[in-house]
Amino acid sequence: MVKIITTLEELKSISKQWHELATQFNSPLLQYEWFASCAEALLHSDELRIVVTHSNGRINGVAPLVLTGNDGPEQLEILGARVLGEPVAFLYDSEASLQDLTAAILDMRKPLFVKNLRHDSPEITHLRRQHKGKYFVRTGASSPFISFAGTWSDFLANMSSNDRNHLRRKKQSMDQKGKVTFEICNPDRSCVKDTLDDFIRVEAAGWKGQQRTALAFDQPLRCFFDTYAREANSRGYLRFCLLRVDDKLIAGQIAVLYANRFWMLKVGYDEEWAAYSPGVLLTHEAIRHACQEGLEGFEFLGRDEQWIHRWTRQVHRYVTFVGYPFSYSGVGRFAFDASKSIFRKSAKAAGYRQIRTSIGKLASRVFQHIAPRYVAGPEIEDAIRICRQLDVKGWGSTICPWDGPNDTPKAIASSYTKALQAIAAAKLDCYLSIKVPSLKYDFGLLKGLLEVASQHNARVHFDSLAPDTASRSFALLDKAASIYRNLGCTLPSRWRRSATDAETAVALGVAVRVVKGQWADPAQPDIDWRRHYLDLIDILAGRVSMVAVASHDVELAKDSLVKLTQSRTPCELEQLFGLPLRVREVAKPLGVSLRIYVPYGHAYVPYALVEIKKRPVILSWIVRDLLLNDNRLRFSCSEGCENMRLAEWSRRVIDMRGDSMGKVWPAMSALRSTARYWRSGQA
């Protein structure tokens, strides 16, 4: 009997039997917790296609698959493998069960892409034997491992003297900087989140942060590790490896201890300490710990890299199985992959690196051209100039310094103080927004800022960042409210916790700005944020001194402001500088005042290209930013009727809510639906 699981509820219902089946496999990467965390964090539930075979009322085979078409026509892949890149396998209790399982997979008649299967695995044998279409088995990456055979002294004796001396010198150099401590622990359940947050911060301080590949910049992957760390901790096999100098964390690892082996999942270190090789020293300590604890081995996972060769040259070899059935979807995927391969080879022959470099330079110049249009300029004087122009029109303003990646907390606090003094000197209807994580939650720095604000009775507003910063930000807000009352906070409607935070804001008596939010809730990424936005408005209506509705969604902003005006709650519409304003559609008919959020300093593009499919209007913003001059772009701040009329005409032409695009976009959607229908194999 075969069952295809397509929902998280069905997946949870087989957790117990999954655990029983997984006991035969000595890998944490095949446990239920691993794939359940992947399903919750890395994909939409409608992509699940977990194949389960039953015999005599019990599960005897599981293939944790998903049907995804992120890079082309749909194909079956292992759940989480594309993002995590770790070794994969199927679960089964016998050779006969595996044969039934692979037959069930191939009967789905979908293209199959299974990466990082062991080169000698039974899965490869059965897939080759049973596949009735075109297939390829390609050599893949290798992952290093250590098998311990003796004591720690024996292991060290097998290392080269150069490597041993190198590690000793690095450790001695680090000892001169302070007290060096190594810790390998499975923290209390209440401390798992804080320990993981510490690791994420130190990882982002290294080269991964510079290249924006760290967990801090990848919300789905961060959500996965949040969920998996919690589950692995509850089952007792989570391990954090931490290296500190004078209580300052400078390197960390996320690992698991399973099947008498140590499995290293993630490693990161602070780039300031790179000269002392903190990641290498921490890995060496983890290997020593595993050996002295009597474990059988150490699994590096990931790819085979040169820096690992000081400890081992042993590797697991993997292959990738790619299968194309004789079906519409199989032929379509084969044509897509073949054309992509031909293009790559042609590009390589024509100088692929030069082409890629040229494209990269062009993209960089485009974004350098676009990004400054969303900030007033590099200095506070630029922001004040824009705010004066807004004041002439009767609009309020909010200014916020956008700090750069290398700015220190003290430098950021200084820029905040300078901004407050400039606001007071200009005597504008303006307040300051700050990002307390940039201050490293230093209450001393914040207290000095509030003392300056109190001299001018200027509002200091706490901006919202990633979900993991919310608890500490509100704790600091609570502390700040005890010494200064003119404060504000931001509530993202994409977070489930915002309802509780709204009650906190009411209790503290602070002003509130309601936004959609850039980051999804890790525990509930598919929350209906529009409905939750209005729920937050209901909680705040009639209970706070001011509510700013910060949204460029016309209907949502209008519904929110109607609720607030009916409850006689002081409110305003807040818009981001540089984006199309919704004054006439929303603010004017309701007699609501307008406020513009004006950032200055480090520039970046505030729209995400990946959102274009969901919000086609973003495409018009990109076209506008590239083609229109400064007066047209910043029509909200232009002086003179002619510029205003020209800019208003430009906005109407390029806004995708207009009639012309209203006719074009349904046609584009129809073509896309036709393509999707063909890919599905039903044509």
Side-chain angles (χ1 to χ4, degrees):
M1 177 182 175
V2 178
K3 181 179 181 180
I4 309 296
I5 290 179
T6 59
T7 66
L8 291 175
E9 290 70 22
E10 291 178 297
L11 177 59
K12 292 175 182 177
S13 69
I14 67 168
S15 60
K16 184 177 179 180
Q17 295 186 68
W18 190 312
H19 280 302
E20 294 174 354
L21 189 61
T23 55
Q24 303 178 46
F25 298 86
N26 296 325
S27 171
L29 310 181
L30 294 179
Q31 299 301 302
Y32 171 80
E33 291 79 22
W34 182 266
F35 289 109
S37 300
C38 289
E40 290 183 17
L42 302 180
L43 76 160
H44 298 293
S45 58
D46 59 356
E47 296 176 350
L48 283 175
R49 296 295 187 275
I50 298 179
V51 182
V52 179
T53 56
H54 297 258
S55 178
N56 299 324
R58 57 181 293 273
I59 293 176
N60 60 10
V62 176
L65 302 175
V66 292
L67 184 63
T68 177
N70 291 336
D71 66 338
E74 291 178 331
Q75 64 181 0
L76 292 170
E77 300 178 5
I78 296 291
L79 171 59
R82 180 182 289 269
V83 176
L84 298 168
E86 303 295 2
V88 302
F90 300 154
L91 292 89
Y92 50 91
D93 61 5
S94 66
E95 199 76 16
S97 299
L98 176 59
Q99 182 173 340
D100 293 341
L101 185 63
T102 52
I105 296 169
L106 299 178
D107 284 345
M108 297 173 70
R109 296 180 61 76
K110 293 290 185 182
L112 181 63
F113 181 85
V114 186
K115 188 178 182 180
N116 286 348
L117 278 169
R118 287 281 291 270
H119 75 287
D120 56 352
S121 66
E123 290 94 324
I124 289 293
T125 302
H126 283 275
L127 287 171
R128 277 175 157 168
R129 184 183 302 160
Q130 295 175 262
H131 201 285
K132 296 180 181 179
K134 184 72 174 177
Y135 70 84
F136 301 95
V137 178
R138 301 167 181 163
T139 302
S142 301
S143 67
F145 70 97
I146 299 172
S147 290
F148 297 120
T151 64
W152 177 241
S153 298
D154 296 332
F155 181 83
L156 287 177
N158 289 326
M159 291 180 63
S160 73
S161 59
N162 286 339
D163 288 333
R164 293 197 303 269
N165 292 334
H166 174 77
L167 292 170
R168 184 174 63 254
R169 287 194 301 270
K170 293 296 184 181
K171 175 64 165 56
Q172 290 173 348
S173 299
M174 189 176 289
D175 285 334
Q176 296 175 5
K177 294 295 182 179
K179 183 181 178 181
V180 179
T181 57
F182 295 94
E183 181 184 4
I184 298 177
C185 63
N186 182 20
D188 293 335
R189 187 176 183 87
S190 59
C191 300
V192 172
K193 184 68 166 61
D194 291 338
T195 308
L196 181 61
D197 289 345
D198 289 340
F199 169 82
I200 291 172
R201 280 192 291 273
V202 77
E203 185 198 30
W207 63 270
K208 294 182 181 179
Q210 296 173 3
Q211 297 183 7
R212 304 185 73 82
T213 59
L215 293 180
F217 304 101
D218 191 331
Q219 187 60 31
L221 193 57
R222 179 174 188 163
C223 182
F224 164 79
F225 275 101
D226 277 335
T227 306
Y228 180 69
R230 185 173 61 249
E231 295 299 326
N233 172 261
S234 66
R235 299 189 69 83
Y237 49 77
L238 176 68
R239 294 293 183 272
F240 282 110
C241 307
L242 308 171
L243 169 57
R244 293 186 174 92
V245 176
D246 287 340
D247 296 327
K248 178 183 179 180
L249 184 65
I250 63 169
Q253 291 179 359
I254 305 174
V256 292
L257 200 163
Y258 187 84
N260 208 31
R261 300 181 76 83
F262 199 91
W263 307 71
M264 189 171 71
L265 298 177
K266 203 77 173 169
V267 61
Y269 63 89
D270 190 332
E271 194 72 27
E272 291 183 6
W273 295 79
Y276 303 94
S277 302
V280 173
L281 288 177
L282 182 58
T283 302
H284 188 70
E285 183 65 19
I287 295 171
R288 184 196 65 78
H289 172 82
C291 183
Q292 293 183 344
E293 289 293 311
L295 301 185
E296 294 179 1
F298 190 100
E299 298 286 346
F300 286 91
L301 299 177
R303 293 178 296 180
D304 184 23
E305 298 182 22
Q306 186 65 34
W307 69 276
I308 300 174
H309 292 172
R310 56 172 51 91
W311 297 293
T312 183
R313 296 297 180 95
Q314 295 177 292
V315 295
H316 299 299
R317 295 196 303 276
Y318 302 106
V319 297
T320 299
F321 181 90
V322 187
Y324 306 98
F326 292 134
S327 64
Y328 286 115
S329 59
V331 173
R333 184 73 203 192
F334 179 81
F336 176 82
D337 288 347
S339 60
K340 187 167 64 173
S341 176
I342 292 171
F343 173 79
R344 285 177 178 172
K345 291 179 179 178
S346 301
K348 186 175 181 181
Y352 176 72
R353 288 187 178 180
Q354 288 79 0
I355 294 174
R356 185 175 62 180
T357 301
S358 299
I359 293 175
K361 288 182 178 179
L362 177 61
S364 177
R365 289 188 178 183
V366 167
F367 283 106
Q368 287 176 7
H369 178 71
I370 291 176
R373 297 171 182 263
Y374 292 89
V375 295
E379 304 296 338
I380 179 62
E381 291 79 12
D382 301 307
I384 292 297
R385 185 181 65 255
I386 297 298
C387 293
R388 289 185 187 278
Q389 295 174 357
L390 296 171
D391 189 65
V392 171
K393 300 177 187 301
W395 298 343
S397 55
T398 303
I399 62 173
C400 178
W402 281 355
D403 51 273
N406 299 318
D407 291 347
T408 65
K410 287 186 179 180
I412 294 168
S414 177
S415 68
Y416 289 160
T417 301
K418 187 177 179 181
L420 279 175
Q421 294 169 341
I423 291 173
K427 297 180 180 180
L428 298 169
D429 176 15
C430 181
Y431 68 83
L432 174 69
S433 268
I434 66 172
K435 304 180 188 301
V436 292
S438 297
L439 299 175
K440 302 298 183 185
Y441 307 98
D442 189 326
F443 184 68
L445 294 176
L446 178 62
K447 185 177 179 181
L449 180 66
L450 296 180
E451 289 174 355
V452 176
S454 65
Q455 297 172 9
H456 309 289
N457 193 29
R459 189 200 304 177
V460 176
H461 188 97
F462 284 42
D463 268 351
S464 173
L465 293 176
D468 66 293
T469 67
S471 295
R472 298 179 71 181
S473 295
F474 268 88
L476 201 63
L477 177 65
D478 187 18
K479 200 172 180 180
S482 65
I483 62 173
Y484 188 61
R485 305 301 301 176
N486 196 358
L487 298 171
C489 67
T490 300
L491 301 177
S493 67
R494 296 179 73 187
W495 301 354
R496 183 172 52 185
R497 63 165 292 158
S498 289
T500 304
D501 292 338
E503 296 291 348
T504 301
V506 171
L508 294 176
V510 300
V512 177
R513 180 196 302 143
V514 185
V515 300
K516 173 188 175 183
Q518 183 177 354
W519 290 274
D521 190 319
Q524 195 174 349
D526 295 328
I527 189 172
D528 186 346
W529 66 269
R530 284 185 174 83
R531 180 177 178 180
H532 198 218
Y533 196 107
L534 295 175
D535 290 342
L536 292 175
I537 296 297
D538 289 333
I539 294 173
L540 299 169
R543 303 176 68 194
V544 294
S545 59
M546 172 61 71
V547 178
V549 175
S551 175
H552 288 261
D553 185 311
V554 173
E555 295 303 322
L556 181 63
K558 185 182 297 182
D559 291 344
S560 300
L561 291 173
V562 167
K563 285 175 176 283
L564 292 169
T565 52
Q566 289 178 348
S567 64
R568 298 184 179 179
T569 306
C571 58
E572 58 191 9
L573 176 67
E574 188 159 343
Q575 303 276 269
L576 179 62
F577 176 72
L579 295 187
L581 302 185
R582 305 304 184 192
V583 185
R584 294 183 177 180
E585 299 97 325
V586 179
K588 282 191 175 181
L590 296 173
V592 173
S593 61
L594 179 71
R595 185 176 297 275
I596 307 297
Y597 185 101
V598 182
Y600 69 93
H602 184 69
Y604 76 94
V605 180
Y607 44 68
L609 299 183
V610 295
E611 294 289 320
I612 288 178
K613 290 182 180 179
K614 300 177 184 177
R615 297 190 65 201
V617 70
I618 291 175
L619 189 60
S620 73
W621 299 348
I622 297 174
V623 173
R624 177 203 63 186
D625 294 346
L626 287 173
L627 300 183
L628 297 187
N629 63 35
D630 233 23
N631 287 333
R632 292 175 180 174
L633 175 71
R634 297 180 177 177
F635 66 87
S636 62
C637 304
S638 303
E639 296 187 32
C641 296
E642 292 304 319
N643 281 344
M644 290 289 289
R645 291 195 191 100
L646 179 60
E648 180 66 15
W649 174 84
S650 302
R651 184 186 67 78
R652 294 192 179 205
V653 168
I654 65 175
D655 195 335
M656 282 195 175
R657 296 182 186 273
D659 294 338
S660 59
M661 287 307 298
K663 296 176 182 178
V664 173
W665 189 251
M668 295 172 65
S669 298
L671 290 173
R672 185 172 56 185
S673 299
T674 303
R676 187 182 298 112
Y677 181 75
W678 177 263
R679 289 203 311 264
S680 68
Q682 301 173 15

